[in-house]
């Protein structure tokens, strides 16, 4: 969730659909969904409906077309997500007995991309580039302070960047070498072990953090800028791309740079490779990895077994993983 989405909490809804939008958000959250990005998209729908003078109470076909035409030149995933939120709102209004236009369901975007898996050499070069980053703008709050450890953290634990950004100091137990993920993407909690090497890097980070020229003791978040505020998603992405640019990684067939999320993919493949080297079978290794990554279904995790088999076919074959398709190849559009 970006800063605009956080600021949405203070916005006032003013369109003819405002009451229905607020009720829908409330219902979603009562059902246990975070619904943060969806709520922000509903705010944008409200803003556009207000600007175009929609009268309501139902959604008109003309408004639906105008809304969807705003995104015709954007990515298919963006078009799909904007359409689905509008369809959900239309269905909710229809269920209230109000006549409304329900747009046709769009074709789900294909998830046929192949993630970039970093080699050990590339990972070490990435860390070195992060260690040598220089802050190039004026300002007091420098998020660069946390970037080197943040990248090591994402690679070593495989947690999502949002989960890392939300970590509190009390969630990182260096004595027991564990971290607590309080509110993951799927709404659960999990305690994860961390390596001795990562724990050592965290101790160094906390030593530097205690020397910051402000009262950092009042800070709750583990990863912060030099003013003690939570590290921003935008700054994290900017510094990561700067590191990747220095590495000059542009693999053949890859659309754009390796994404920050590819560190999570690399962790998953590396974990399965290590377990395969220890002769662990996929019916035991996959559930372990599923729990560690915070997935809610084994099908979301099995794709890493398929990916590992492509990258390290000898390891998978020699370790007896002859049943790559032990779980059904169910198409899923849940991002991990």
């Amino acid at each position: 969730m970006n800063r605009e989405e956080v600021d949405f909490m203070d916005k006032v809804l003013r369109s003819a659909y405002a009451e229905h939008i607020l009720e829908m958000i409330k219902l979603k959250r009562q059902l246990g969904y975070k619904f943060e990005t969806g709520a922000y998209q509903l705010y944008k729908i409200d803003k556009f409906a207000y600007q175009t003078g929609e009268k309501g109470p139902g959604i008109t076909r003309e408004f639906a077309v105008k809304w969807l035409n705003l995104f015709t030149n954007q990515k298919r995933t963006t078009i799909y997500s904007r359409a689905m939120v509008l369809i959900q709102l239309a269905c909710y209004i229809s269920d209230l007995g109000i006549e409304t236009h329900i747009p046709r369901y769009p074709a789900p975007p294909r998830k046929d991309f192949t993630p970039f898996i970093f080699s050990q050499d590339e990972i070490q070069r990435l860390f070195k580039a992060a260690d040598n980053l220089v802050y190039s703008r004026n300002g007091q709050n420098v998020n660069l302070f946390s970037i080197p450890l943040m990248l090591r953290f994402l690679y070593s634990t495989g947690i999502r960047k949002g989960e890392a950004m939300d970590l509190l100091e009390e969630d990182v137990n260096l004595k027991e070498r564990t971290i607590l993920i309080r509110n993951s993407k799927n709404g659960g909690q999990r305690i994860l072990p961390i390596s001795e090497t990562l724990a050592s890097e965290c101790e160094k980070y906390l030593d530097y953090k205690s020397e910051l020229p402000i009262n950092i003791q009042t800070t709750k978040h583990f990863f912060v800028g030099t003013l003690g505020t939570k590290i921003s998603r935008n700054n994290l992405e900017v510094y990561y791309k700067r590191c990747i640019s220095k590495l000059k990684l542009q693999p053949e067939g890859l659309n754009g740079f390796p994404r920050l999320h590819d560190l999570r993919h690399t962790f998953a493949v590396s974990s399965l490779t290590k377990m395969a080297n220890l002769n662990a079978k996929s019916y035991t290794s996959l559930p372990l990895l599923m729990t560690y990554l915070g997935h809610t279904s084994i099908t979301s995790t099995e794709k890493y077994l398929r990916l590992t088999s492509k990258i390290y076919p000898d390891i998978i074959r020699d370790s007896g993983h002859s049943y790559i398709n032990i779980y059904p190849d169910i198409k899923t559009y849940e991002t991990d």
Side-chain angles (χ1 to χ4, degrees):
M1 186 170 61
N2 60 33
R3 181 171 295 181
E4 279 189 300
E5 292 174 47
V6 173
D7 290 344
F8 156 69
M9 308 304 176
D10 298 324
K11 302 291 185 182
V12 176
L13 303 186
R14 298 184 292 175
S15 79
Y17 311 132
E19 181 179 353
H20 302 317
I21 288 174
L22 291 173
E23 290 174 348
M24 179 176 163
I25 294 173
K26 181 179 179 181
L27 176 61
K28 285 280 189 178
R29 291 177 175 167
Q30 286 176 338
L31 292 173
Y33 297 100
K34 287 185 177 181
F35 204 61
E36 293 168 341
T37 299
Y40 176 67
Q41 291 178 3
L42 286 172
Y43 158 68
K44 300 296 285 187
I45 290 175
D46 178 87
K47 183 178 180 180
F48 186 65
Y50 180 77
Q51 292 172 342
T52 54
E54 294 301 309
K55 302 300 182 181
I59 293 173
T60 64
R61 183 182 185 280
E62 291 72 23
F63 173 75
V65 170
K66 285 188 290 185
W67 169 253
L68 295 177
N69 281 343
L70 293 175
F71 313 102
T72 53
N73 295 323
Q74 297 191 21
K75 295 186 299 183
R76 292 178 63 185
T77 52
T78 300
I79 297 172
Y80 179 77
S81 64
R82 300 299 189 273
M84 289 306 296
V85 171
L86 181 64
I87 290 171
Q88 288 182 51
L89 176 61
C91 290
Y92 177 79
I93 293 175
S94 177
D95 288 343
L96 296 176
I98 299 172
E99 184 176 351
T100 188
H101 171 72
I102 300 178
R104 178 184 297 181
Y105 280 80
R110 293 179 60 187
K111 293 292 184 88
D112 55 359
F113 73 95
T114 299
F116 180 76
I117 305 301
F118 289 86
S119 68
Q120 279 298 309
D121 175 68
E122 290 163 342
I123 282 292
Q124 294 308 316
R125 288 166 54 204
L126 175 66
F127 293 162
K128 184 176 181 180
D131 292 340
N132 292 324
L133 282 171
V134 176
Y135 189 66
S136 58
R137 295 187 301 171
N138 294 328
Q140 291 180 304
N141 192 33
V142 183
N143 283 317
L144 175 58
F145 167 73
S146 293
I147 299 299
L149 179 63
M150 173 68 88
L151 295 184
R152 287 173 168 85
F153 217 94
L154 294 175
Y155 166 73
S156 300
T157 64
I159 62 176
R160 303 175 179 91
K161 59 186 176 184
E163 293 172 340
M165 291 166 54
D166 288 340
L167 279 174
L168 305 179
E169 282 198 350
E170 63 190 75
D171 298 335
V172 181
N173 187 334
L174 297 183
K175 183 177 180 181
E176 301 292 335
R177 295 215 302 269
T178 61
I179 58 173
L180 169 63
I181 307 300
R182 292 180 177 272
N183 192 16
S184 69
K185 173 184 175 179
N186 297 309
Q189 290 189 0
R190 63 191 194 279
I191 297 177
L192 307 178
I194 61 175
S195 68
E196 183 177 351
T197 302
L198 182 60
S200 177
E201 292 295 324
C202 290
E203 289 176 351
K204 295 176 185 176
Y205 168 80
L206 290 175
D207 285 341
Y208 287 124
K209 190 175 179 182
S210 66
E211 297 297 325
L212 290 178
I214 60 171
N215 183 17
I216 201 71
Q217 303 305 321
T218 60
T219 297
K220 294 182 178 180
H221 285 95
F222 186 77
F223 291 106
V224 298
T226 50
L227 291 184
T229 55
K230 177 182 174 181
I231 188 172
S232 74
R233 185 184 298 262
N234 181 63
N235 277 184
L236 174 59
E237 292 281 359
V238 166
Y239 283 121
Y240 168 75
K241 290 178 180 178
R242 193 177 297 176
C243 292
I244 292 295
S245 296
K246 291 184 177 182
L247 270 59
K248 301 185 184 303
L249 291 178
Q250 187 65 46
E252 183 179 355
L254 188 68
N255 182 18
F257 292 125
R259 306 168 306 155
L260 184 60
H261 198 68
D262 287 333
L263 291 174
R264 176 172 166 88
H265 295 317
T266 300
F267 167 84
V269 170
S270 298
S271 297
L272 283 176
T273 303
K274 290 178 182 177
M275 286 189 277
N277 281 327
L278 294 172
N279 291 321
K281 308 302 182 184
S282 34
Y283 60 78
T284 56
S285 59
L286 283 181
L288 285 173
L289 185 61
M290 180 189 77
T291 302
Y292 195 100
L293 291 174
H295 286 163
T296 55
S297 69
I298 199 70
T299 53
S300 297
T301 313
E302 195 204 4
K303 64 183 178 183
Y304 292 119
L305 184 57
R306 301 175 190 275
L307 185 58
T308 305
S309 70
K310 293 180 181 179
I311 301 174
Y312 305 109
D314 293 338
I315 292 177
I316 296 298
R317 182 175 59 249
D318 295 343
S319 300
H321 286 71
S322 58
Y323 31 81
I324 300 299
N325 297 308
I326 188 172
Y327 299 102
D329 187 14
I330 298 174
K331 294 293 184 183
T332 176
Y333 296 96
E334 174 190 3
T335 56
D336 61 359

